[in-house]
Amino acid sequence: MSESLLANVKNWADLFVDFCSRNEWIGSDSLFMLTPSFNSKVDEYSGVIGMDSASFKYVLMLLTTYPLAVIFSKLPNPLFKNVFSLVVGLWMMQNIFLGQWIHSLITSVISYILMLTLPNRIMPQTVFVFLLSYLSASHIYCMYVNYMGWTLDFTGPQMLITMKLSMLAYNIYDGRRIEQLQTPTKNPKKDSVNKQRMKFAIKTVPNPLQYFAYTYCFATVLAGPAFEYKGYVDALTGEAYRTKTSNGGKLRIPPRAGPVLKKLTMGLLCVVIFQVFTPHFPIGLIAAPETIAMPFIPRYVFIWFLLLVVRMKYYFAWKVTDGSAVLCGFGYEGKDEDGKHRWNGVETMDILGFEFAENMTGNTRSWNKMAQNWLEGYVYSRTNNSLTATYFVSAFWHGFYPGYYFFFMSLPLAQQTLRVARKNISPHFMTNPTVSSVYKYFCVALNSVVVNYMVIPFQMLSFERGTLVW
C-alpha cells in the first residue's frame, strides 16, 4: 500500500512539474523590463571572475542599490519615491530571475484582492495560509526538479514577500479593530502585545501604487530586510523622523553616513572572506569521507570552520541590504542617551551577537532578526504562544528538506535544557567578577559548540548526509 501511495504521489508531482513546464511561457512573455545589453555584459564579466551569471548579477545589483538609494532619498515626495521604488524593484526582479519573477506578481496580486474583499475576521489568516502554501509549493517544486542542488531562484524573494504581505494583512486587520486594541484588559502581557500591534496597525488597505512599491521596494526585494509597511510609509512621508521638538517644516532624514558605511564595510569584508575560502573549503567537505574519518575534535573544529565560512554569504547579503535600506531612510529609531542617531530598526543580522552568544536565545535574537520579529509577532503571539506552531511555520518557510526539520524540532529541547542549566547552575558561578567572567567565556564556547553541531543537518539538507555527520 505504501508503494502504491508513493507511486501516486510521484505521478501527481510529475503532473504538477509538467504543468509548470508547459506554462513557463507566461513568465517569459511577461518580461517587459528586460535589458538584454546589460545582461550580455554581465554574462561576459561573470565568466572572467568565475561566478555564474545569475549570482554575479545578484551581487552587482545588491551593490547598485547604494547609488539608487541616494537618488531615492533625494526625491521630493512619496509619490515619486513609490514610483521609483516599484520601477527599479521590478527591473531587478525581471533581470535576475527572468520568467520566475511572475510568482511574486501572482502572489502579491491575489493577496491584494484577498485584503480588499474578505471579511476582516478571516482575512489575515487566509492571506497567511495562501502565501505560506504558495511558498511551500515553490519549495517542493524546486526540491523535486533539482534535489540537493542549488541555483539562484525565485524562492528567496518569495520568502521575503511572504513575510511582508502576511505582516501587512495583520496590520490591516489590527487597524480595523483599533478600538478593541485600545481597550485595557486585566492582563498586562496582553496589553503589551496590543500596544505593539497598535504601533503598526493601519486602518485602510494601501492604494495599488503604495502596495506594490512596498512589495517590490528595490532596497529590500532581493535579500530583505522585510520590515513593516508602517515603517516604509512613515519614512516616505517623513513621520519616522518627527520628534517632540519638530516644527511644522519639512522633516528631513537625519545623518546616517556612519551606520551605512559600517554595514557596507562589514558586508564587503564578509564576501571577501567567503570568496577567498570557499573554493578551498566548500560546505560539501563536511560529509566527505576524509572528514568523517578524522578524530572527533579535529573533525569538529574543521566543521566549525566550514560552517563559519558558509555563514559569510548570508552576512554579506544581509549587511549590504541593511545599509542600503538605511541609506534610503528606513529604520530610524531616534537618538540614544548620548544624542547619537540610531539606525537599527531594519537590522537583519547582529554578527558579533550571534557568533559570541552565551546561549541559544542570544543566537535566535541575533540571526535573521526580521524573520524572528515576523515569527514572534505574527505566528507565536497569534497562536497562543505556541512554540511548536512557530517552529513548524519557520521550517515550512525555509523548505522541506529533512535537515531543516531535524534542526528546528531539536531547538525546543535544547533551549529547555539550557534554561534549566541557567536556573540551577549559573547562580553558583556569580560569586565574584573573575569567576563570572571565566564562566561567561565558557558559556560562549559551549554554546558555539552546541549550535554549530545542531545546525549541521540544516546545511546537509538530506536525512542521510545529516545523520552521517551527526
Side-chain angles (χ1 to χ4, degrees), residues 131-132 135 158-166 374 397:
L131 288 166
L132 192 61
L135 176 62
Q158 199 66 36
M159 293 167 74
L160 296 168
I161 286 174
T162 297
M163 291 169 58
K164 292 170 77 171
L165 299 187
S166 59
W374 171 65
W397 183 71

Side-chain angles (χ1 to χ4, degrees), residues 228-345:
E228 311 276 354
Y229 175 79
K230 193 76 161 51
Y232 173 82
V233 73
D234 282 355
L236 265 62
T237 61
E239 282 299 312
Y241 319 124
R242 186 178 296 279
T243 65
K244 294 180 180 179
T245 58
S246 298
N247 54 33
K250 183 178 179 180
L251 298 168
R252 299 187 180 278
I253 303 176
R256 60 205 184 284
V260 170
L261 288 174
K262 181 180 178 181
K263 294 175 187 293
L264 177 59
T265 302
M266 184 68 74
L268 293 176
L269 177 61
C270 290
V271 77
V272 169
I273 294 172
F274 180 76
Q275 287 297 112
V276 168
F277 286 101
T278 298
H280 308 288
F281 302 98
I283 191 65
L285 285 179
I286 288 181
E290 58 269 28
T291 304
I292 301 299
M294 288 181 178
F296 177 76
I297 293 179
R299 176 163 65 97
Y300 183 81
V301 171
F302 183 61
I303 290 174
W304 182 92
F305 178 73
L306 292 175
L307 291 171
L308 176 64
V309 171
V310 82
R311 285 198 292 273
M312 290 297 157
K313 68 178 180 182
Y314 301 108
Y315 294 165
F316 158 69
W318 286 336
K319 281 300 178 183
V320 167
T321 53
D322 285 357
S324 174
V326 169
L327 191 54
C328 285
F330 302 125
Y332 184 63
E333 294 184 312
K335 295 181 179 180
D336 61 19
E337 296 177 352
D338 299 324
K340 296 180 180 180
H341 296 285
R342 295 184 296 126
W343 287 95
N344 297 318

Side-chain angles (χ1 to χ4, degrees), residues 47 103 127 129 159 189 229 283 320 359 370-371 396 444 460:
H103 295 286
V127 171
V129 170
M159 293 167 74
K189 289 185 177 180
Y229 175 79
I283 191 65
V320 167
N359 50 60
M370 295 294 102
F396 280 25
V444 169
M460 292 295 94

Side-chain angles (χ1 to χ4, degrees), residues 421-438:
R422 281 202 308 273
K423 181 179 179 180
N424 295 288
I425 298 176
S426 296
H428 298 290
F429 293 90
M430 301 300 167
T431 54
N432 64 67
T434 302
V435 174
S436 178
S437 296
V438 172

